[in-house]
Amino acid sequence: MAHRTPPPRQSQDAEAAAWLYRNSSDGFALVGKGRILSVNPAWCTINGFKAEDVVGQHALKTIHPDDHHVYYGAATKLETEGEANLEHRVLTGDGRTIWVRLAVKQAENGLSMVVMRDITAEHQQKQEMEQAQRIGDLLRSAAKVYTWRFDPDTGRYLTERDPGAAGGDTLRLDMSGDDMTAEIHPEDQKMVGRAFRDSLQTGEVKTVWYRHARADGGWSRYRSTWRGGQLGKSGRYEILGLTQDMTELAEARDAALQGEQAAREAAETKSRFLANMSHEIRTPLNGVLGVLHLLKTDSLSQSGRELVEQALGCGEMLTQLLNDVLDFSKIEAGKLELNPEPLDPAATLRSVADMLRPAAESRGLYLRTVIEGDPGWVSVDPVRLRQALFNLIGNATKFTLRGGVEVAMKSVGAGAEHRLRVEVRDTGVGVAPEAMAALFERFHQVDGSTTRRFGGTGLGLAITRSLIEQMGGEVDATSEIGQGSTFWFEVAAPIVDRGAHTPNEAGGWLEGLRVLVVEDNPTNRLIASRMLESLGAAVELVHDGVEGVEAATRAGFDLIFMDIQMPVMDGVEATRRIRRLEGPAAEVPIVAMTANVMKHQINEYLAAGMDGAIAKPLNPAAILAELGRLSGQGDEALVAVA
């Protein structure tokens, strides 16, 4: 039998290389003197060109113009080192822009082999992660919040970042449990340690307030919430937690607990403090929530949209906490005012429940709403109704460990005597009979163990009672230890006619209007301009009151949004000067856009010649509602964003 001579190894290698060139999912191209000499099928698939369209063309033909510098940098490296790796954008033959990663190796004959891979999905995922990180950083910066983890197997306590509180906290990014305990105030160590050990054994959710050491020798006031996660090798739960620096709020609460005489003497100081706190918190919070509202209108992946929605929910909770503190001060001074307007109470209840439901469901609880009959449209203060619902429903979910919460709304009476009745029923821990009498008192929780276990300022129920009483109603509760509680309230809510408005598209509500925005903060300028442009307005931006007066003098604007606290000239003085101008410029409506929203402050703006005010954080619905009020189309504006 004749023997076949095997082909030379070099021939086999060449055939294998040719097969790989034709069949690889990576794009291959042979380049000489900057021009494409040949490409494989995968290269054409990735780039969207036919081979005859690019062979003989310069390699820059498909590279995005803004990334040409990447090509030249790689060419220089190729000459000196013989190989280069790069990433850049490509303009495809079918009109798309994609991201690619290239590995280039130069042979001795001067030709270069280029291996290309499409990394568009990878690049998009990286951008989404960076975007989510930026959102998280904004929220943490505004709220002084950081997350942490305790590994029971190593005994190490790892924080996401240094919270950077005033005075310089001693907290490090990585420390042992013993080191962490040593930085807690000696009087608080036993309480924190007991709660922590419980969670290590059972995974139970805990919330505690404690004092944490600062480098300057003082103490920060922290509120920390944690829960058990995955079990470690030791059989104990890994602990995941979130901690917030509550020093300013704790100091405000301590000041409020002083005696009546001391409170009177400190009234003016506290008023200034609350005004400053409102401004300082609302200004960064306006940036955070404004950016999130703008991101909602961008093209996001499903996971990116979920992150934005979660962040907005957290921002709304921070806003609610700020409102609670300010409302407490207004109630004490007898300055809380109601602003009834037509609304759909059933829709209001559902929107509050939708906001709180994700947190409840994450703990295995249900949160259901039941509308008994059709309450119709009623006249009631929407902000205060939402606040009462938020406080009672949030309280019920906080004190419920198993089961859930059901909220029922029904009508009582008719016409001008119509009232809304809301019942919040939970399957929670219940309240002892001896504690019921003091349940709605300020800064009160049923006992010390409840405070340690569930946390809270103790303001929510006291504020809720005051709000409901001012709304012509009453609130009360029934409860049984271990069986749950029912909190209920009734408020005056006369039946009103919704009106015959046809829903509009919010996007064009300000179409054709020229709007001037006077704002010194760059982030706030960006947010205000984007929101107003999304509503159809043509927007001009200036940086302070002097520029605002000059712009109002030379250009015919239909509307001016005026910040209050600005360098060079503040918004109040700028408004006075605009009102002293001659001609139509002096009559342009001016709306304050400010973090200072206490009643006496708004009265000052109106006295200076402003027509209205919008509180930061800004949102499109608030803008339309205020402009609708000024134009006498309040219902139509609200329907536009409903």
Side-chain angles (χ1 to χ4, degrees):
M1 181 181 292
H3 294 282
R4 178 181 295 178
T5 303
R9 176 59 182 269
Q10 185 175 3
S11 175
Q12 292 177 340
D13 291 346
E15 290 179 4
W19 183 91
L20 178 65
Y21 186 80
R22 292 191 303 272
N23 296 283
S24 174
S25 60
D26 291 331
F28 286 87
L30 188 65
V31 178
K33 295 184 179 179
R35 296 191 175 275
I36 300 172
L37 304 180
S38 70
V39 295
N40 73 338
W43 194 98
C44 296
T45 300
I46 294 172
N47 284 272
F49 286 99
K50 296 180 180 179
E52 56 266 27
D53 294 333
V54 293
V55 171
Q57 300 293 323
H58 197 279
L60 287 172
K61 175 181 174 65
T62 65
I63 297 177
H64 193 288
D66 292 344
D67 290 350
H68 282 183
H69 67 283
V70 179
Y71 168 85
Y72 291 117
T76 301
K77 187 173 183 180
L78 199 62
E79 290 179 1
T80 58
E81 302 180 15
E83 60 182 44
N85 296 294
L86 60 153
E87 294 180 3
H88 62 72
R89 287 166 290 180
V90 164
L91 298 174
T92 67
D94 53 4
R96 294 176 296 118
T97 298
I98 64 173
W99 278 88
V100 297
R101 180 181 293 126
L102 277 67
V104 187
K105 193 169 183 65
Q106 192 172 55
E108 294 180 357
N109 60 5
L111 299 180
S112 298
M113 176 59 72
V114 181
V115 181
M116 174 188 292
R117 178 166 295 177
D118 185 346
I119 62 166
T120 303
E122 176 185 332
H123 188 80
Q124 182 178 0
Q125 184 179 27
K126 180 181 178 182
Q127 284 186 316
E128 290 175 354
M129 291 178 64
E130 291 175 348
Q131 185 181 66
Q133 181 64 44
R134 287 196 297 271
I135 292 172
D137 288 343
L138 283 171
L139 282 173
R140 286 189 292 270
S141 175
K144 295 183 179 179
V145 172
Y146 71 96
T147 60
W148 52 270
R149 179 174 67 90
F150 180 79
D151 186 340
D153 294 331
T154 64
R156 303 300 294 178
Y157 178 100
L158 306 173
T159 66
E160 175 193 33
R161 59 187 288 274
D162 190 321
D169 284 57
T170 58
L171 186 64
R172 299 183 297 279
L173 299 179
D174 182 356
M175 67 177 73
S176 70
D178 290 340
D179 289 340
M180 179 58 203
T181 300
E183 295 184 355
I184 297 174
H185 193 285
E187 296 177 4
D188 299 337
Q189 289 179 8
K190 184 177 294 185
M191 175 268 295
V192 175
R194 182 166 53 248
F196 201 79
R197 287 191 297 273
D198 287 347
S199 295
L200 283 172
Q201 297 300 322
T202 66
E204 184 180 358
V205 176
K206 298 285 186 179
T207 297
V208 298
W209 284 69
Y210 63 92
R211 290 161 288 182
H212 187 276
R214 293 204 307 254
D216 63 2
W219 298 95
S220 294
R221 303 285 290 275
Y222 280 2
R223 180 174 65 184
S224 189
T225 299
W226 63 75
R227 63 174 175 83
Q230 183 178 358
L231 284 171
K233 295 178 182 178
S234 62
R236 298 190 299 173
Y237 282 88
E238 178 184 69
I239 303 298
L240 304 175
L242 181 145
T243 297
Q244 183 177 10
D245 182 351
M246 303 293 287
T247 304
E248 290 184 358
L249 179 61
E251 290 174 350
R253 181 181 66 178
D254 292 344
L257 286 170
Q258 299 300 317
E260 182 179 350
Q261 181 61 35
R264 282 200 297 266
E265 294 174 353
E268 183 61 31
T269 301
K270 186 171 68 172
S271 177
R272 288 196 301 268
F273 167 75
L274 288 172
N276 290 335
M277 184 173 71
S278 172
H279 182 271
E280 295 302 320
I281 294 178
R282 286 181 187 273
T283 296
L285 195 57
N286 179 61
V288 173
L289 296 184
V291 169
L292 293 174
H293 279 294
L294 295 177
L295 284 174
K296 284 181 65 176
T297 65
D298 285 351
S299 298
L300 297 175
S301 66
Q302 182 60 32
S303 62
R305 188 167 297 279
E306 289 174 356
L307 287 171
V308 170
E309 292 293 345
Q310 290 178 12
L312 272 172
C314 292
E316 293 291 346
M317 292 177 70
L318 288 173
T319 303
Q320 185 63 44
L321 178 62
L322 172 62
N323 290 339
D324 275 353
V325 175
L326 294 177
D327 282 347
F328 175 73
S329 175
K330 294 176 185 177
I331 290 168
E332 280 196 318
K335 296 180 179 179
L336 187 68
E337 296 187 3
L338 300 178
N339 297 289
E341 61 186 57
L343 62 79
D344 179 355
T348 300
L349 171 58
R350 284 190 286 265
S351 70
V352 173
D354 288 344
M355 183 187 303
L356 295 171
R357 186 172 290 109
E361 291 179 344
S362 70
R363 296 171 51 211
L365 306 175
Y366 63 79
L367 175 52
R368 298 193 291 256
T369 59
V370 178
I371 309 299
E372 300 179 14
D374 181 10
W377 279 62
V378 300
S379 178
V380 69
D381 188 318
V383 174
R384 303 310 175 190
L385 179 61
R386 284 177 60 88
Q387 194 171 357
L389 291 169
F390 190 98
N391 282 341
L392 291 184
I393 300 173
N395 228 42
T397 57
K398 181 170 69 173
F399 287 91
T400 300
L401 302 178
R402 290 177 298 277
V405 178
E406 182 178 274
V407 188
M409 175 181 284
K410 66 179 180 180
S411 294
V412 178
E417 301 301 319
H418 178 261
R419 297 166 71 83
L420 283 176
R421 181 178 177 90
V422 176
E423 295 183 2
V424 182
R425 311 161 187 147
D426 66 62
T427 59
V429 297
V431 182
E434 60 270 20
M436 290 295 293
L439 194 58
F440 290 91
E441 292 181 5
R442 64 183 187 181
F443 302 123
H444 176 81
Q445 290 189 324
V446 293
D447 59 34
S449 63
T450 301
T451 305
R452 291 193 296 270
R453 188 176 185 185
F454 296 100
T457 62
L459 283 174
L461 290 180
I463 291 173
T464 300
R465 182 182 65 178
S466 296
L467 291 176
I468 290 172
E469 288 177 349
Q470 292 204 32
M471 295 166 73
E474 57 181 331
V475 60
D476 208 343
T478 59
S479 185
E480 184 176 350
I481 289 290
Q483 300 300 314
S485 305
T486 296
F487 284 77
W488 63 267
F489 70 86
E490 287 186 12
V491 293
I495 297 291
V496 296
D497 183 11
R498 175 183 181 178
H501 298 296
T502 302
N504 297 303
E505 287 296 325
W509 209 77
L510 302 184
E511 193 72 43
L513 292 185
R514 295 194 64 220
V515 178
L516 175 65
V517 174
V518 186
E519 167 67 67
D520 66 306
N521 184 284
T523 301
N524 292 343
R525 282 199 303 273
L526 171 65
I527 291 166
S529 65
R530 291 283 183 87
M531 284 187 181
L532 291 167
E533 287 169 353
S534 72
L535 298 172
V539 181
E540 181 173 330
L541 305 173
V542 295
H543 298 71
D544 58 52
V546 170
E547 294 182 4
V549 175
E550 293 174 352
T553 303
R554 70 172 183 272
F557 292 102
D558 302 298
L559 182 64
I560 298 175
F561 281 90
M562 182 76 70
D563 186 28
I564 297 300
Q565 290 188 333
M566 294 182 291
V568 186
M569 181 186 294
D570 65 28
V572 172
E573 179 59 27
T575 298
R576 292 192 182 104
R577 297 197 182 191
I578 291 173
R579 292 298 181 230
R580 291 198 293 265
L581 296 174
E582 296 181 358
E587 304 298 326
V588 176
I590 301 175
V591 177
M593 183 177 62
T594 176
N596 299 325
V597 290
M598 300 186 80
K599 184 64 177 178
H600 70 279
Q601 294 168 325
I602 294 178
N603 287 338
E604 180 186 359
Y605 313 150
L606 298 177
M610 294 186 178
D611 299 279
I614 298 175
K616 298 174 181 176
L618 299 177
N619 66 75
I623 293 174
L624 282 181
E626 180 65 5
L627 297 185
R629 184 188 68 80
L630 294 177
S631 64
Q633 304 177 42
D635 288 347
E636 183 173 351
L638 291 173
V639 171
V641 292

